[in-house]
Amino acid sequence: MKRILVVDGGSLHAQEVARQVRKLGVYSEIVPASAAEPVLKGRKPSGVILVGMVSARLEQVVHGLSVPVKSLDDGVVPDRVLESFLSEACGDEREWNMDSFLDQALERIRAQVGSGRAICGLSGGVDSAVAAVLVHRAIGDQLTCIYVDHGLMRAGESEQVVAAFQGRFGIPLIHVQAQERFLNKLAGVVDPEQKRKIIGIEFIRVFEEEAAKLGAVDFLVQGTVYPDVLESGLGPGTLVKSHHNVGGLPEDLGLELVEPLATLFKDEVRELGEKLGLPREMVWRHPFPGPGLGVRVLGEVTREKLDILRQADAIVVEELRRSGWYDKIWQAAVVLTNVRAVGVQRGARTYDYVVGLRFVNSTDGMTAQWARVPHELLETISERLLEEVAGVGRVVYDISPKPPATIEWE
Ligand code: XMP
C-alpha cells in the first residue's frame, strides 16, 4: 500500500496534515524530524511531506530518496494542493479507507494471536470498546473481555456496556461488580491525587485477580490510538509498551500487547466503531476520565454523593442531547462540589450541595474554552436539577479557560 511520510519539524499541524492525506485516500504516518533519518532509510515511502523546520542535512536525505517531496511552512493547505502532490506520489492508488484498514487489521490480529488466548479490559470508553469488537471479529471467543465496574460510572453506562458486548456481539464478558470494594477503599479519602491513586491501584488488582481466574492467557488487547503513540515521541512502528489507556494496566502482567488501533486517529476509531456496529451513543461519547465520577464528587466519595451526582449528570446529558448541543461540545462535566449553600424551597430553609457545570470546547484536551451554550439551555438544566434532584441547592456554570484551570475540578 502507498504510504506518505509526514516529517514533523516542530509544527502544530503535522497531525492535521496526516489526517488530510488519509482523507484523500492515502495512508500517512508522522515522524518527528529528529527521528526521521532511520525511518526514511528503513522503508522508503511513496512521498514525503515536510512540515515546519527541518535541517538542511535531513532535506538532503529526503531528496536523496528520489520520491516526490512537498514542503509546507505552516502546515494547512487546500485539498487541491495536496491532491496534485498525491497524484505525483501515488498515481491512482488511493487505497486507504476503513474497509481496507479493517481487512488488514483482521489479518494482522489473526497472525499475531494465532491460537492464543487474549483478554481486554473495557473502560466504557470508545477506544477499548472498538479494539475489543475488532479483535473479537478476528479471533472470536479466543478473546474474553473484563469490565471492572468500580461504581464510578454514569447512570446506565455499565448496563450499556454489558448489553452491547454480551447481548449484541455475544462477546465473552466478565462483569466484575466491584462497587463496594472501591467505595470501601475510598472511604475518608479527600485528597484528589490520593483518590486517583487508590482507584488506579484497585483497578489493576481487580483486573489481575479476574485475569488469573481465566488460567493461561497470552495477549492483552489495548485501545492505544495513534496520538498516544505520537505523544510518546517514538514515531511510527514503535508501539509503546508503557502507555496504558485502560485504567493503567502494568507491564508485568507478562502478556504480549495487541494494539490494533495504534495507527488510527480518534475520528478514524469512531468511523471503525460505527462500521463494526457499535451503538452510536457509545461511539460518539464525550471523553470521560478513567477514575470516573470519583474525581467529580469533590472531597470524600460516598454512595449518597455518587447517587446525587449520577442523577444530576443524567439530566444534564439528556438536556444536552435533546437540544442538539451534546455533539457540538467536546465534553460536559457535572461536578458535585463539597460546598453547601442556603436556600428556600416550599417555604422551608434548605442547605444543599452546589453543582458545577463544566462544558468545554477543545480539540485534544490540552487547552479548552468554556462552551458558549444558550442561556435558555442553562436555565432548563438548572431548573430541572433544582426541582428533580434532592440534595442539589444551587447550580453554577464554570467560565474558566484551560489553562490555567484544568477541565476536571480534581
Ligand atoms: P484535565 O482535567 O487534565 O483533563 O484538563 C483533560 C482531559 O483528560 C480527561 N482526564 C482523564 N482521563 N484518566 C483519564 O483517562 C484520568 O485520570 C483523567 N483525568 C482527566 C478529562 O476528562 C479531560 O477530557
Side-chain angles (χ1 to χ4, degrees):
M1 194 173 61
K2 298 287 184 184
R3 182 179 68 116
I4 297 294
L5 199 66
V6 176
V7 174
D8 178 9
S11 157
L12 293 172
H13 301 290
Q15 292 200 23
E16 262 173 87
V17 172
R19 287 157 80 154
Q20 204 180 351
V21 170
R22 289 191 188 186
K23 283 190 181 135
L24 294 171
V26 180
Y27 181 63
S28 63
E29 283 179 350
I30 302 171
V31 62
S34 58
E37 222 178 299
V39 175
L40 288 163
K41 288 182 172 155
R43 220 175 100 225
K44 190 165 147 173
S46 315
V48 178
I49 299 178
L50 304 171
V51 277
M53 298 279 292
V54 301
S55 66
R57 180 188 151 76
L58 185 59
E59 271 202 55
Q60 221 175 8
V61 173
V62 167
H63 286 287
L65 294 173
S66 51
V67 297
V69 178
K70 177 103 203 145
S71 290
L72 303 178
D73 290 336
D74 67 346
V76 189
V77 292
D79 275 354
R80 63 182 159 72
V81 175
L82 273 188
E83 273 287 353
S84 64
F85 166 72
L86 291 177
S87 301
E88 191 192 341
C90 311
D92 291 335
E93 283 188 53
R94 305 286 176 94
E95 294 154 339
W96 170 257
N97 56 48
M98 259 321 129
D99 289 314
S100 65
F101 172 84
L102 179 57
D103 290 343
Q104 285 180 13
L106 292 174
E107 259 175 54
R108 267 198 304 265
I109 295 163
R110 287 182 192 123
Q112 185 185 358
V113 176
S115 58
R117 284 188 76 194
I119 50 172
C120 178
L122 298 178
S123 66
V126 57
D127 302 340
S128 60
V130 174
V133 175
L134 175 61
V135 170
H136 185 257
R137 168 100 50 117
I139 62 168
D141 292 356
Q142 284 164 257
L143 172 74
T144 302
C145 289
I146 299 178
Y147 176 58
V148 177
D149 195 339
H150 49 27
L152 306 169
M153 299 300 283
R154 297 183 143 117
E157 264 179 348
S158 295
E159 293 80 356
Q160 196 187 35
V161 169
V162 175
F165 279 77
Q166 274 180 348
R168 184 190 294 222
F169 294 106
I171 300 176
L173 172 72
I174 299 170
H175 179 189
V176 194
Q177 310 268 4
Q179 297 92 328
E180 287 289 330
R181 189 166 161 169
F182 279 84
L183 269 184
N184 290 339
K185 290 279 173 190
L186 288 169
V189 183
V190 295
D191 177 66
E193 279 315 302
Q194 182 98 20
K195 282 161 62 176
R196 274 171 193 275
K197 230 177 248 165
I198 289 172
I199 296 167
I201 289 171
E202 210 50 26
F203 183 93
I204 291 165
R205 283 204 188 120
V206 176
F207 189 90
E208 283 180 334
E209 284 170 24
E210 292 302 321
K213 289 183 200 161
L214 288 173
V217 173
D218 318 281
F219 297 92
L220 175 67
V221 177
Q222 294 212 309
T224 314
V225 296
Y226 197 38
D228 301 335
V229 176
L230 293 173
E231 256 171 47
S232 75
L234 293 178
T238 325
L239 295 192
V240 191
K241 307 276 177 191
S242 60
H243 186 98
H244 301 294
N245 56 5
V246 185
L249 295 173
E251 285 172 61
D252 58 10
L253 279 176
L255 302 174
E256 186 178 327
L257 292 183
V258 180
E259 299 183 296
L261 311 179
T263 57
L264 296 187
F265 289 109
K266 191 85 182 186
D267 49 340
E268 294 171 325
V269 171
R270 293 201 160 111
E271 193 185 335
L272 180 62
E274 290 199 325
K275 192 170 277 302
L276 291 167
L278 274 162
R280 224 191 100 64
E281 236 182 74
M282 204 181 257
V283 168
W284 290 98
R285 180 168 288 168
H286 286 166
F288 188 62
L293 301 182
V295 291
R296 291 188 182 170
V297 165
L298 307 190
E300 188 186 5
V301 179
T302 65
R303 190 186 306 275
E304 182 220 5
K305 286 175 168 178
L306 280 171
D307 283 344
I308 295 174
L309 179 55
R310 232 180 246 116
Q311 285 178 53
D313 182 80
I315 288 173
V316 171
V317 171
E318 192 182 310
E319 289 303 330
L320 283 170
R321 287 196 188 281
R322 196 204 305 275
S323 61
W325 274 88
Y326 188 90
D327 293 325
K328 290 189 218 163
I329 61 178
W330 200 70
Q331 192 171 19
V334 183
V335 174
L336 188 70
T337 72
N338 45 7
V339 171
R340 290 183 193 217
V342 173
V344 186
Q345 223 164 16
R346 294 175 192 90
R349 178 187 184 276
T350 57
Y351 188 52
D352 286 326
Y353 288 111
V354 178
V355 161
L357 304 177
R358 176 77 163 138
F359 301 171
V360 295
N361 285 315
S362 176
T363 47
D364 53 10
M366 304 298 284
T367 61
Q369 306 78 42
W370 56 275
R372 271 64 169 172
V373 297
H375 289 177
E376 293 71 23
L377 173 62
L378 294 175
E379 184 179 19
T380 309
I381 289 173
S382 150
E383 281 175 2
R384 283 198 62 192
L385 292 178
L386 294 169
E387 183 60 34
E388 297 174 35
V389 188
V392 173
R394 204 169 280 239
V395 181
V396 299
Y397 194 66
D398 184 343
I399 52 168
S400 325
K402 174 182 180 175
T406 53
I407 294 176
E408 303 294 341
W409 280 32
E410 278 198 341

